[in-house]
Amino acid sequence: MARLSPQEEIEFLKRENYHLAAQLTRLKEEARTHLEREQDLEDRTRLLGAVIDAATDGIIFSDESGYFFLFNPAMERLTGYTAAEANACHDFNQLLYPRPQECLAAMARLREVIERGDSMSVETVIQPKHGPPRPVWVSTALITVGERRHFLSLFHDIGEQKKAETELRRHRNHLEELVNERTIELSRTNVRLQKEMEERQRAESGRLESEGRFASLVESMEDFIFTLGPDLRFTGIFGRWAKKEGLAASDMLGKTVGEVFGAPAGALAEGVSQSVLHGEAIIYEWHFERHGAPRYFQTSLSPLRGLDGKVSGIVGVARDITLRRRTEATLIQSEARTRALIETMNDGLFILTRAHVLSYANQPLCDMLGYPKEEIIGRPFQVLFCPEDQGALDLLKQECR
């Protein structure tokens, strides 16, 4: 190989130095891009964690061995167990389902999820650490990472809804007992009331099923998930609710709650958000007009903290409760119609306590007896009979025992 002249060597070194500088610049750019991606991943992970912690339903994520990678605060409140306690036990299912047949049924559902390779939703009853059993709606999905199988489960407490359903059934049965003893007109009214209550039960059942099947990732949740900056302007919009309502995230980002949902909703949100920015978690209800009709929401707000632990914003989960409000209003109207029918019927109607004391009397009965309603309530039912009807009175007492 011919030896280079000094001038050629200088030119060769210049070219090499240029190539090295270009490579160094490219490596710096790649490193900067990598750091930005890592920061974006950390931000998304922190946001997802905050949303899961703010969720009102219990969320757990485990592998086939029963180890829990995720056990959110709502699950701890629902079961009374901490994540550490759940991981310390041999089989957490045996704690939630202490009866052997119930535990076997829970294991069978997991096997079915594995066989189907899909998700499953079921209504069941769990035993918390303290207190009576709780009815819940459980949705479980199989998630496969590589060759390892994991389970994502969502637990929705339906105890209050069960109480409401029981109260509705009790009220319906009581109405049927009264109406079946009266006129054809009241019988027809009872049929209509029965149909209305069945419609409400189907609507309630549909709502529970819809709520029980919300997906594991934020973007697939049916609720309206959002984040606010320190200035209380939207910085993030998530979940399917906004898309279903035709609200684009671009139309909300950078705006306040009042600018998007109206001044009353904005004033209420601004008031409660100040407490959240100081570290408190708050649940409140609000409403706004949508297509000429009121829409009601229950919203959970929690502080969003940065890596330094300081509050940098707010994360919120808003749930549409319009159907529940409408169901409550319909029940009140139904009760009012029933009471009006009883008060205007031709027959006298009364209700006795076990001590044979009048606890209720309709207006026709008061008119028959010539007593104001406030004077007849609380009196012995002997006031309904003349002294010469003592035999009939004794016979009625025997039948009421």
Side-chain angles (χ1 to χ4, degrees):
M1 180 176 179
R3 182 179 180 83
L4 300 175
S5 66
Q7 184 62 33
E8 291 174 334
E9 287 184 356
I10 291 174
E11 291 298 326
F12 175 77
L13 291 175
K14 284 182 179 180
R15 288 194 300 272
E16 288 297 315
N17 184 56
Y18 174 78
H19 292 314
L20 289 174
Q23 291 179 0
L24 180 60
T25 300
R26 186 173 63 258
L27 289 174
K28 287 181 178 180
E29 181 63 24
E30 291 176 355
R32 184 184 65 80
T33 302
H34 181 69
L35 289 175
E36 289 178 351
R37 289 177 178 174
E38 286 186 345
Q39 182 62 45
D40 181 63
L41 179 60
E42 289 179 2
D43 292 341
R44 290 176 177 269
T45 301
R46 187 167 62 255
L47 174 60
L48 178 60
V51 170
I52 291 174
D53 288 344
T56 55
D57 292 329
I59 303 175
I60 58 175
F61 184 69
S62 61
D63 58 17
E64 288 187 284
S65 70
Y67 180 80
F68 294 97
F69 299 95
L70 172 63
F71 201 95
N72 75 335
M75 189 64 178
E76 293 183 348
R77 293 191 297 271
L78 181 64
T79 65
Y81 294 99
T82 65
E85 289 174 325
N87 280 322
C89 68
H90 174 68
D91 185 356
F92 189 56
N93 276 331
Q94 293 182 357
L95 296 181
L96 295 183
Y97 309 100
R99 294 183 180 180
Q101 61 271 28
E102 295 175 351
C103 187
L104 290 175
M107 297 303 296
R109 289 194 294 269
L110 286 180
R111 288 194 297 270
E112 185 174 349
V113 169
I114 294 175
E115 292 173 359
R116 292 167 50 180
D118 199 355
S119 61
M120 174 182 288
S121 298
V122 65
E123 181 180 322
T124 184
V125 177
I126 63 172
Q127 176 60 57
K129 186 176 182 181
H130 304 291
R134 287 185 172 182
V136 294
W137 186 272
V138 182
S139 297
T140 301
L142 176 66
I143 298 178
T144 303
V145 180
E147 297 182 355
R148 300 188 62 183
R149 291 182 294 210
H150 300 76
F151 302 98
L152 177 68
S153 296
L154 309 174
F155 287 71
H156 180 64
D157 189 349
I158 58 175
E160 290 301 320
Q161 285 130 358
K162 285 294 182 182
K163 291 179 182 178
E165 290 174 359
T166 300
E167 181 62 22
L168 282 173
R169 286 193 297 269
R170 186 196 66 78
H171 177 70
R172 180 188 62 189
N173 293 335
H174 179 62
L175 289 177
E176 288 176 352
E177 290 175 1
L178 294 175
V179 174
N180 287 337
E181 298 174 358
R182 300 304 152 203
T183 64
I184 296 177
E185 180 183 359
L186 288 176
S187 297
R188 292 174 178 173
T189 301
N190 180 62
V191 171
R192 290 197 299 270
L193 290 173
Q194 214 169 1
K195 290 181 179 180
E196 290 175 3
M197 291 165 65
E198 290 172 354
E199 288 296 329
R200 288 198 296 271
Q201 288 178 342
R202 284 195 291 270
E204 182 71 6
S205 176
R207 186 178 70 85
L208 292 176
E209 182 178 359
S210 175
E211 290 178 353
R213 292 179 177 176
F214 73 93
S216 60
L217 300 176
V218 176
E219 285 297 338
S220 63
M221 294 179 69
E222 295 293 337
D223 296 330
F224 177 47
I225 317 299
F226 59 90
T227 56
L228 301 174
D231 58 354
L232 303 183
R233 293 182 179 274
F234 286 107
T235 57
I237 304 296
F238 311 94
R240 299 179 57 188
W241 180 87
K243 296 178 182 178
K244 287 167 56 178
E245 292 295 324
L247 298 174
S250 58
D251 294 333
M252 292 184 279
L253 293 175
K255 296 181 180 180
T256 65
V257 174
E259 291 172 341
V260 176
F261 296 107
L268 181 59
E270 184 175 354
V272 298
S273 296
Q274 295 302 323
S275 299
V276 180
L277 290 175
H278 286 85
E280 296 183 31
I282 292 180
I283 297 177
Y284 75 102
E285 294 185 4
W286 59 282
H287 71 277
F288 78 104
E289 293 289 330
R290 179 71 173 166
H291 299 312
R295 302 292 294 273
Y296 296 91
F297 292 85
Q298 182 184 74
T299 299
S300 172
L301 298 180
S302 299
L304 181 62
R305 301 181 183 275
L307 294 176
D308 57 0
K310 296 181 179 180
V311 177
S312 59
I314 296 174
V315 58
V317 180
R319 175 164 293 172
D320 191 330
I321 60 171
T322 304
L323 180 58
R324 190 187 76 188
R325 287 291 189 91
R326 292 175 179 170
T327 301
E328 293 171 353
T330 301
L331 177 59
I332 293 173
Q333 294 173 0
S334 176
E335 291 177 346
R337 288 196 299 268
T338 301
R339 182 170 294 275
L341 286 171
I342 292 174
E343 288 294 329
T344 57
M345 63 190 295
N346 294 327
D347 298 331
L349 175 68
F350 62 89
I351 299 176
L352 298 178
T353 67
R354 291 182 179 273
H356 300 157
V357 174
L358 289 164
S359 62
Y360 173 79
N362 69 348
Q363 191 59 44
L365 180 63
C366 295
D367 295 339
M368 293 177 192
L369 299 177
Y371 286 101
K373 185 174 291 190
E374 59 271 13
E375 291 185 11
I376 199 172
I377 301 300
R379 299 188 64 179
F381 82 120
Q382 285 89 334
V383 299
L384 301 176
F385 297 87
C386 298
E388 55 269 22
D389 294 331
Q390 184 63 40
L393 178 61
D394 294 338
L395 179 61
L396 183 57
K397 283 184 177 180
Q398 292 178 0
E399 292 180 352
C400 291
R401 291 176 181 174

